[in-house]
Amino acid sequence: MKKTTLGVIVGNRDFFPDILVTEARKDLEILAEKMNLNLIIPNENETKLGGVETYQDAKKCAALFKSHADEIDGILVCLPNFGDEKGVADVIRLSGLKLPILIQGYPDEINKMHVARRRDAFCGKISVCNNLRQYGIPYTITHKHVVHPTDESFHKDLVQFLGVCKVVKGLKNLRIGAVGARPSAFKTVRYSEKILEHNGISITTIDLSEILGNANKLTAKDQKVIDKLESIKAYSPTGKTPEDKLVQMAKLGVVLSDFIEENALDATAIQCWTSVQSNFGCNVCTNMSMMSDQLMPSACEVDVTGTLTMYAMQLASGTPSALVDWNNNYAEDENKCVLFHCGNWAKSFLPDIRISTAPILGTTVGVENTYGALEGRTPAGPLTYGRVSTSDLDGKMRAYFGEGMLTNDELNTFGNRAVAKVPKLQSLMRYICNNGFEHHAVMNASHTASILKEALGKYLNWDVYYHDEKIED
């Protein structure tokens, strides 16, 4: 597993004991080993004790960070004592790095408040935050105001911070492929390509006719088609799907894979209905599921910001995401609902997965033309849900996120389906409707909404609503 790399600023103030800085560096070495981190930090020959105390120290530390700019995922500010607030802020400004920053300060021990061991980081952390705020630099703070690096609370803070780093860095220069035009009836999936580009997210478009045309040039004897067919059969039970439909799915999968590779894409959004069924005779769902399961998310109905949401969520959790409809109420329970799609959810959501048809779509295009849709029920587990969207009227990115649980409540229907329990669901639905969000949402089998809120809201400056039943303390 690739190590996360953090640039480390050890703040120091000259009239505090040197031993406090030396001890902190040793604590950080132990932490890095335990958390599988790579630390970029001045050595003791570059600055006094390897800390940052003066403007000259700040210049040296900033130069070190610049030389490792492509590697560094985030910055950790460690305050073994009061620290030098100007030095910390100057390092970040001079480095030019616009990355998440976590500020940690050591606690004093009540029986070691004498001159030789007193820290005052409780006060110094406030000063550092004040200066960063003045410099216009966003930062993250720990749950406890001061906390030792060995404390379990700090380990939780750090895990969350590393998730924030992955989301922020992962969304920079994201490349999404938009395959085909959105279904005419679905204005809900319209988006602003220019707003996305302004936020570093590029869209590569291709007409669906090119995809289908290239797929039609392939034959069942082509090695790429044979290999793709084998991967489809290995991925899911095929049920009653005819062999010729599986071959069609394989051809489509080959062409999509080529498009992704040629354009170095990270994710896709595909016009799944009704042109593919009418002009090619199958559903693209299985191929989309396979891509999402390999952490290359794919959303249907050319929902570009839907697949953007899928990608953001998988960065936060390290696991696949799925595009869902907020689809049905669940009996009389006001905090439960049915999540549904016809369906292309990643295999990790569907322990009973099998390739089937899409009955609703089949009523208009013929069920025989919808083989490739997946059938399966998602079991109980953690749930993060949410949605990213472009707000064209004010030129902004906006999003909402929250957490709940997937349940094992009875649900007798078809397609990809799940029952979700969301605290204050009725309030959430009012928020979605009042603010004109799409009926599509994204689910992830994790509890990572707070990571997404911090990453997208604080560091990317998107408008983020966090729906949570708890009041933060």
Side-chain angles (χ1 to χ4, degrees):
M1 187 169 125
K2 181 180 178 293
K3 288 186 176 183
T4 301
T5 298
L6 297 180
V8 180
I9 304 169
V10 180
N12 187 31
R13 185 155 285 196
D14 59 356
F15 47 78
F16 286 89
D18 291 350
I19 189 64
L20 298 178
V21 175
T22 302
E23 289 174 352
R25 291 176 62 92
K26 290 179 180 178
D27 289 338
L28 291 172
E29 289 176 7
I30 295 170
L31 182 69
E33 182 68 25
K34 179 177 180 179
M35 303 291 287
N36 195 36
L37 300 173
N38 182 38
L39 302 183
I40 305 296
I41 180 172
N43 64 47
E44 295 176 341
N45 298 320
E46 291 176 300
T47 64
K48 179 185 174 183
L49 306 172
V52 172
E53 184 179 319
T54 67
Y55 185 69
Q56 294 305 316
D57 292 340
K59 287 173 64 178
K60 292 175 182 177
C61 187
L64 177 66
F65 286 3
K66 274 187 176 181
S67 68
H68 293 273
D70 291 341
E71 305 165 45
I72 297 176
D73 301 296
I75 296 172
L76 172 63
V77 176
C78 173
L79 300 174
N81 57 47
F82 190 99
D84 187 273
E85 63 266 30
K86 285 176 58 181
V88 170
D90 285 338
V91 170
I92 297 167
R93 173 180 278 179
L94 293 171
S95 74
L97 298 181
K98 297 185 183 301
L99 296 171
I101 301 161
L102 179 64
I103 304 174
Q104 173 265 337
Y106 273 77
D108 274 298
E109 298 174 66
I110 198 66
N111 60 343
K112 295 181 180 180
M113 298 285 283
H114 45 78
V115 173
R117 296 294 305 182
R118 182 165 162 156
R119 297 180 181 275
D120 292 3
F122 193 100
C123 187
K125 180 176 176 179
I126 300 171
S127 292
V128 167
C129 292
N130 175 274
N131 275 252
L132 292 178
R133 181 81 176 207
Q134 289 186 50
Y135 280 47
I137 299 171
Y139 51 88
T140 296
I141 56 177
T142 53
H143 186 73
K144 293 180 180 179
H145 181 60
V146 286
V147 60
H148 197 279
T150 60
D151 192 287
E152 185 61 32
S153 170
F154 180 69
H155 290 172
K156 291 179 181 178
D157 288 332
L158 186 56
V159 168
Q160 170 141 327
F161 178 71
L162 297 179
V164 171
C165 293
K166 289 175 183 176
V167 173
V168 171
K169 193 166 188 178
L171 291 181
K172 290 182 179 178
N173 303 313
L174 176 64
R175 293 176 58 81
I176 299 175
V179 180
R182 64 168 174 82
S184 179
F186 268 46
K187 288 186 177 181
T188 185
V189 297
R190 292 199 290 187
Y191 67 97
S192 170
E193 191 173 334
K194 290 182 179 179
I195 294 175
L196 292 178
E197 194 72 65
H198 183 71
N199 284 271
I201 300 162
S202 294
I203 311 302
T204 298
T205 62
I206 187 169
D207 195 272
L208 186 60
S209 64
E210 292 186 51
I211 296 293
L212 299 185
N214 289 333
N216 278 322
K217 294 174 184 177
L218 297 171
T219 72
K221 295 181 180 180
D222 289 320
Q223 189 59 50
K224 280 188 172 182
V225 175
I226 293 170
D227 293 344
K228 183 65 74 173
L229 182 59
E230 289 179 357
S231 67
I232 289 172
K233 290 180 177 179
Y235 183 74
S236 169
T238 58
K240 297 179 180 180
T241 308
E243 186 70 13
D244 64 320
K245 297 297 183 182
L246 292 170
V247 170
Q248 286 293 87
M249 291 159 53
K251 291 179 181 180
L252 200 54
V254 168
V255 176
L256 287 170
S257 294
D258 288 346
F259 170 62
I260 291 167
E261 184 177 354
E262 289 166 6
N263 293 280
L265 302 177
D266 303 297
T268 53
I270 301 173
Q271 181 190 345
C272 55
W273 63 279
T274 56
S275 184
V276 174
Q277 293 78 13
S278 299
N279 297 302
F280 199 69
C282 70
N283 264 38
V284 69
C285 299
T286 299
N287 283 300
M288 297 170 73
S289 172
M290 292 170 69
M291 289 188 285
S292 293
D293 208 56
Q294 295 164 3
L295 301 182
M296 298 180 65
S298 189
C300 42
E301 293 148 10
V302 203
D303 188 352
V304 167
T305 49
T307 203
L308 166 58
T309 313
M310 294 171 72
Y311 196 84
M313 283 194 183
Q314 81 174 30
L315 288 170
S317 68
T319 62
S321 305
L323 192 77
V324 305
D325 285 350
W326 292 112
N327 211 71
N328 313 86
N329 60 290
Y330 188 82
E332 303 302 318
D333 194 323
E334 294 188 353
N335 287 320
K336 288 182 181 178
C337 66
V338 175
L339 306 177
F340 175 83
H341 238 248
C342 58
N344 60 354
W345 296 355
K347 183 178 181 178
S348 56
F349 290 99
L350 308 171
D352 57 343
I353 189 173
R354 69 180 177 89
I355 299 173
S356 184
T357 58
I360 295 177
L361 188 56
T363 61
T364 58
V365 300
V367 173
E368 70 279 3
N369 292 314
T370 67
Y371 282 102
L374 293 174
E375 176 84 13
R377 165 68 193 267
T378 302
L383 167 67
T384 291
Y385 60 83
R387 174 78 202 191
V388 175
S389 185
T390 56
S391 180
D392 298 50
L393 296 180
D394 53 19
K396 292 183 178 180
M397 300 291 298
R398 60 177 186 154
Y400 69 85
F401 297 103
E403 295 174 355
M405 293 297 296
L406 298 170
T407 75
N408 283 328
D409 289 298
E410 182 179 1
L411 183 62
N412 296 316
T413 188
F414 52 85
N416 289 174
R417 56 205 184 273
V419 177
K421 184 174 183 179
V422 175
K424 298 184 179 178
L425 176 62
Q426 301 305 309
S427 174
L428 174 64
M429 291 299 108
R430 287 193 295 271
Y431 179 84
I432 290 171
C433 291
N434 282 329
N435 288 277
F437 275 96
E438 298 83 349
H439 70 283
H440 285 171
V442 172
M443 70 172 178
N444 191 278
S446 66
H447 281 154
T448 50
S450 56
I451 291 175
L452 293 157
K453 173 194 174 186
E454 186 86 353
L456 304 186
K458 180 170 288 183
Y459 292 104
L460 298 186
N461 200 31
W462 298 358
D463 290 341
V464 179
Y465 168 72
Y466 183 39
H467 182 79
D468 192 8
E469 81 280 14
K470 298 187 295 292
I471 297 175
E472 294 186 77
D473 59 12

